Amino acid sequence: MSADRFAIIDLAALYMRGLDRLDGALLEAQFWPDARCEYGVFSGGPADFAAFCMEMLKEHRRNHHMLGQHLIDFVSEDEAFGEVYYQAYHRVFDHSGAPRDLFIAGRYVDRYERRAGAWKIAYRSELVDWVRDDPASDAIVGVTPFIMGERKPADPLYNREAMR
C-alpha cells in the first residue's frame, strides 16, 4: 500500500500547486468529476470549485500553501479516508490598496477513491483552525535579488529547458 499512500499524498501536493500557480486545470484534475467539495464559502463539484478558486485567487499578489501531516486510513483497496494539515499564505490588499499578509491554517478531511487504478479525491472538506491577518512585512524582497515564484506559465517550474 505504500505506492497507494504516495499516490494520495501527491494529490495534495498537486492540489496546492494548482492553487499557488493559478492552474485551474491541475487543481480540478485531483478530483473525480463527480466529487463533492465542501468549504463553507463554496459547496459543489470540482469544475466549479476550480473556477471559484481561480477567480478568488487572481486578485492576490502571491499564494503559498504548505502541507503538514497527512494521515490516510485505507478501508479497502479502492477507498481511503484522510486528514491533511495545511497552512496557507495569501498576499492580499485592504480597501485602501495597502498590502496585507493573510495566513489561514487548518485541515482537509477527505475521502479518496481508486478507479481504474488511479486515486483521486471523491470528497473534500476544508476545516479552518486559525486565521491571522497582518500588515505586509517583507520590505527585504524589494532590495534583495530573490528569484520570485510566479504563476503559470511564468514560474520557473514550467521552464524545464532552463534547468538542463
Side-chain angles (χ1 to χ4, degrees), residues 79-95:
E79 183 182 37
F81 291 83
E83 178 185 45
V84 182
Y85 280 66
Y86 73 88
Q87 190 174 87
Y89 163 78
H90 305 282
R91 169 54 56 86
V92 297
F93 301 92
D94 68 16
H95 63 279

Side-chain angles (χ1 to χ4, degrees), residues 92 123 134 144:
V92 297
Y123 171 87
D134 295 314
T144 304

Side-chain angles (χ1 to χ4, degrees), residues 56-123:
M56 182 180 64
L57 296 175
K58 76 178 184 182
E59 299 302 320
H60 298 185
R61 176 62 185 112
R62 299 202 180 281
N63 299 294
H64 182 91
H65 291 78
M66 183 68 67
L67 294 170
Q69 61 266 38
H70 197 144
L71 303 171
I72 303 168
D73 179 20
F74 290 90
V75 295
S76 75
E77 63 183 34
D78 294 323
E79 183 182 37
F81 291 83
E83 178 185 45
V84 182
Y85 280 66
Y86 73 88
Q87 190 174 87
Y89 163 78
H90 305 282
R91 169 54 56 86
V92 297
F93 301 92
D94 68 16
H95 63 279
S96 71
R100 303 206 47 91
D101 292 332
L102 176 64
F103 294 90
I104 304 170
R107 297 165 288 133
Y108 296 109
V109 175
D110 297 333
R111 187 173 66 79
Y112 312 100
E113 289 181 3
R114 177 170 44 191
R115 302 178 190 171
W119 285 99
K120 292 195 179 197
I121 301 167
Y123 171 87

